[in-house]
Amino acid sequence: LIDSDDFPKVNHEDCNNGEALTINSNLFLEWLNKATPFISTDELIPAMAGIFFYNIDNELGCCASNSHILYTSFNKLDNNSSVNNQEWIINKNSIIPLKNICTTTDSVIISNLNRNILVEGGDTMLYIRIIDGKYPNFKVIIPKNNNIRYELSKDALKEAIMRLSIVKGASELIKFTFSDNNLNVNCENVDFAKNASENIDCVGNNNIIIGLKSSFLLNILPSIETEKIIMEMSDPNKPIVKKNKKENN
């Protein structure tokens, strides 16, 4: 047996009770589920090996990125909120316990500890060692002035990508040609001299041709809960914004 005195002790006095933040469990669980697939596995950037949660300037949100895809979502808080200017990077090993807490209570309370956070929900208390480091300023890479905007069916796009994937090459590249209320998706396999193409009805009038990786698209679509998705862009060489139609968050 091991002496119980050797078990790490938690100093409750380190908890800043005045900075406790209450989050709706359904919202927190939704963010955990949607952000997890995009956590970075790059060991050279440890700060990105988790989900970044922030509460800054009355905006509560999260972000996760694997350097190819960036997922973010946020909610505006009451201007009178006394809890502000907080940041945490939650490691991926804590995600499953956090999900379990969210399923047993209506809300979770997050409090700051020294290099840790305390998450309380119902009769459960979870102490989490947060990742040390500064998360990159992800907002600067999100294009703001997108003059090209298309609206299309998420299911139609997913089904088209799945069918085109049969002939895709090693690059998994799919060519998107946007024109007047139409999207043509094309996939070529040069090694086996195969080609496939489909047309999808959409709403938009600007013409642009871009290339996207099919596996990235299939990872993104489940994180958009609405039937229609919005694709915003300005140039073939710049990042593309994909978001749901319901809210601008």
Side-chain angles (χ1 to χ4, degrees):
L1 297 177
I2 300 176
D3 190 344
S4 61
D5 292 335
D6 294 334
F7 195 83
K9 299 294 190 300
V10 177
N11 186 2
H12 291 272
E13 295 180 357
D14 288 340
C15 180
N16 188 348
N17 293 320
E19 297 294 329
L21 177 67
T22 302
I23 304 178
N24 179 274
S25 295
N26 292 331
L27 176 63
F28 196 46
L29 180 61
E30 177 184 331
W31 284 351
L32 290 171
N33 287 330
K34 291 183 177 180
T36 299
F38 308 117
I39 294 176
S40 175
T41 58
D42 188 351
E43 297 180 356
L44 299 177
I45 316 177
M48 297 183 66
I51 302 177
F52 174 61
F53 287 90
Y54 66 92
N55 177 25
I56 301 174
D57 296 332
N58 295 312
E59 180 179 295
L60 174 66
C62 74
C63 175
S65 176
N66 57 16
S67 299
H68 299 285
I69 304 171
L70 185 150
Y71 169 83
T72 182
S73 182
F74 61 87
N75 274 12
K76 290 294 184 181
L77 299 178
D78 187 349
N79 292 332
N80 297 324
S81 176
S82 60
V83 183
N84 221 332
N85 298 323
Q86 297 178 335
E87 296 181 355
W88 316 286
I89 306 176
I90 297 179
N91 64 76
K92 58 185 178 181
N93 294 328
S94 304
I95 292 176
I96 293 180
L98 283 172
K99 290 181 180 180
N100 293 337
I101 291 179
C102 290
T103 59
T104 60
T105 183
D106 294 331
S107 61
V108 295
I109 301 173
I110 302 178
S111 304
N112 282 325
L113 293 163
N114 184 22
R115 300 181 64 186
N116 301 275
I117 58 172
L118 168 63
V119 181
E120 300 175 81
D123 299 328
T124 305
M125 301 174 67
L126 182 64
Y127 293 88
I128 299 175
R129 172 64 61 88
I130 58 178
I131 297 176
D132 291 331
K134 182 70 175 178
Y135 201 84
N137 185 5
F138 65 93
K139 290 191 175 184
V140 299
I141 68 170
I142 301 176
K144 298 296 189 297
N145 301 317
N146 297 304
N147 60 330
I148 301 176
R149 185 179 188 272
Y150 273 86
E151 177 184 324
L152 63 155
S153 167
K154 180 180 69 174
D155 291 337
L157 178 60
K158 179 180 178 180
E159 292 168 1
I161 294 173
M162 295 292 290
R163 288 191 289 267
L164 293 178
S165 297
I166 298 175
V167 300
K168 69 180 179 181
S171 67
E172 300 185 359
L173 187 66
I174 294 181
K175 179 181 177 182
F176 283 64
T177 302
F178 290 91
S179 56
D180 294 341
N181 296 323
N182 182 73
L183 167 61
N184 176 266
V185 286
N186 180 273
C187 182
E188 294 184 2
N189 190 325
V190 179
D191 296 331
F192 294 94
K194 293 182 179 181
N195 180 286
S197 178
E198 290 203 20
N199 290 304
I200 302 174
D201 292 333
C202 56
V203 178
N205 296 315
N206 299 88
N207 298 335
I208 190 172
I209 299 175
I210 59 175
L212 298 172
K213 199 171 182 179
S214 60
S215 59
F216 289 172
L217 287 168
L218 293 176
N219 286 337
I220 292 171
L221 293 178
S223 65
I224 301 175
E225 67 272 14
T226 55
E227 181 182 348
K228 298 288 186 178
I229 65 171
I230 305 297
M231 298 181 67
E232 296 180 348
M233 62 208 89
S234 60
D235 186 88
N237 298 319
K238 293 184 178 180
I240 297 172
V241 176
K242 300 178 182 68
K243 58 186 180 181
N244 62 39
K245 186 181 178 183
K246 183 173 60 176
E247 296 177 354
N248 189 29
N249 64 347

